[in-house]
Amino acid sequence: MVKFQVVFSFSSNHSVLHRRMMNKMKMIRKSLDHASEDSFIFSLLHHRADADQSCDHNVFGENAIIGRNKDKENVRVLLLSNSEQKISIIPIVGLGGLGKTALAQLIFSDQDERYNFDLRVWINLNMSYDFNSIASAIISKVNRTEEGTSQVNNEGEYNPQILMNCLREVLNDKRCLIVLDGLWSIDEGQLLHLKRMLQSTQNTKIIVTTCSENVANLMHTVHPYKLGPLSEENCRTIFSQRVFGGGDNSYLTRIGKQIVNRCEG
């Protein structure tokens, strides 16, 4: 009787140990599956990032921009509905990566006859610019397309009044669209200085893209346009085209949906 109990106890313990080992193996396999999946996701994104470095010129192709037609129309209305103002400054504000630059490019390249712009000037900004250089850059861009316009000498590049006069002169009697892409500053005085400089012109529409609501609130003459995230469907379409080439694969589609959900628009 004692012998039977010992054998039964040993058998029971062995069964419990076996179940524990099986559960642990399942957990390890699940962890490995997740790690493999994440590695696959990373390799896809890394591969596309490397490839994209050589095709930046396609980023602003109108057909490549998905899900922003309604936003384009909304900004168009803002541009056209404030025609009585001598100058309109319309900030497009939103989180980084939402597509503010892409939306501004859609407007910039739009040939709607109602705009009737004589000049279109695009200025790329970064963290290292100063505000006098923005005026100099605008004047330089206009000089490339217009003959007989003012030139800014070395002394004038650092003189706000000279820059303001030159800016007013090169844009005189012209309807102009100016895009300041990526404006960022925590210096309210400099932002207001830039705004006054831009307001010295006439018949000018200015679009400012920025991640900062403070910049948007200080710069605007027209209520800032707050850009929201893309719909999940549009995000999946963009991801499928950019990573999978638009192909249909159930496993890749499942992976893509997980990545899109992480991106949140």
Side-chain angles (χ1 to χ4, degrees):
M1 185 68 179
V2 174
K3 183 178 180 180
F4 176 76
Q5 288 178 339
V6 171
V7 172
F8 178 79
S9 176
F10 174 79
S11 176
S12 176
N13 290 338
H14 179 74
S15 177
V16 170
L17 181 61
H18 178 73
R19 284 198 302 271
R20 287 179 179 174
M21 289 181 64
M22 290 298 296
N23 289 335
K24 186 172 290 188
M25 289 178 66
K26 286 180 181 179
M27 291 176 63
I28 293 173
R29 176 178 288 182
K30 191 173 182 180
S31 297
L32 289 172
D33 287 342
H34 284 308
S36 176
E37 195 169 88
D38 287 343
S39 177
F40 178 67
I41 291 171
F42 175 78
S43 65
L44 284 173
L45 294 177
H46 183 68
H47 170 72
R48 290 307 306 177
D50 290 342
D52 287 347
Q53 291 179 2
S54 61
C55 59
D56 285 344
H57 62 278
N58 292 325
V59 172
F60 295 133
E62 185 168 352
N63 293 334
I65 300 175
I66 295 172
R68 291 304 183 191
N69 287 334
K70 183 177 180 181
D71 295 296
K72 174 185 174 182
E73 183 58 34
N74 291 340
V75 176
R76 175 192 284 152
V77 169
L78 292 176
L79 285 170
L80 296 174
S81 62
N82 293 277
S83 57
E84 72 283 354
Q85 295 186 13
K86 292 182 179 180
I87 178 172
S88 298
I89 302 177
I90 306 173
I92 298 175
V93 60
L95 296 175
L98 284 182
K100 299 180 294 297
T101 297
L103 175 58
Q105 183 65 25
L106 282 176
I107 299 296
F108 188 80
S109 60
D110 189 359
Q111 298 301 316
D112 191 318
E113 293 182 356
R114 291 173 293 176
Y115 287 139
N116 195 29
F117 293 125
D118 300 309
L119 294 170
R120 298 175 190 236
V121 176
W122 183 286
I123 305 295
N124 290 310
L125 304 176
N126 54 55
M127 297 296 289
S128 62
Y129 69 87
D130 64 80
F131 292 100
N132 287 339
S133 69
I134 293 176
S136 296
I138 294 172
I139 294 168
S140 177
K141 289 286 183 73
V142 172
N143 284 340
R144 294 177 190 175
T145 57
E146 296 287 314
E147 296 181 0
T149 51
S150 298
Q151 300 290 333
V152 180
N153 56 35
N154 292 335
E155 181 181 352
E157 289 182 358
Y158 305 101
N159 188 312
Q161 188 58 51
I162 292 177
L163 284 171
M164 193 178 298
N165 292 340
C166 288
L167 192 62
R168 188 185 301 116
E169 183 177 343
V170 297
L171 298 178
N172 184 44
D173 295 330
K174 297 181 181 69
R175 289 182 56 82
C176 185
L177 173 64
I178 299 173
V179 175
L180 303 180
D181 183 34
L183 182 61
W184 176 268
S185 176
I186 58 174
D187 189 325
E188 293 188 7
Q190 293 233 33
L191 285 171
L192 293 175
H193 166 65
L194 173 64
K195 185 176 182 179
R196 286 194 298 270
M197 186 177 293
L198 295 172
Q199 286 178 316
S200 68
T201 64
Q202 296 184 10
N203 301 319
T204 303
K205 304 289 185 180
I206 300 172
I207 293 176
V208 175
T209 70
T210 180
C211 296
S212 168
E213 291 194 11
N214 183 54
V215 170
N217 291 331
L218 285 171
M219 289 295 297
H220 78 90
T221 64
V222 178
H223 191 71
Y225 187 78
K226 191 164 186 178
L227 189 63
L230 289 168
S231 68
E232 185 176 333
E233 180 181 357
N234 284 326
C235 288
R236 286 202 302 266
T237 300
I238 293 172
F239 187 88
S240 177
Q241 289 183 356
R242 299 287 287 173
V243 177
F244 304 139
D248 185 15
N249 181 297
S250 58
Y251 175 68
L252 296 181
T253 299
R254 180 172 64 86
I255 299 296
K257 285 181 179 180
Q258 294 179 22
I259 298 173
V260 166
N261 290 336
R262 294 183 190 183
C263 293
E264 297 182 351

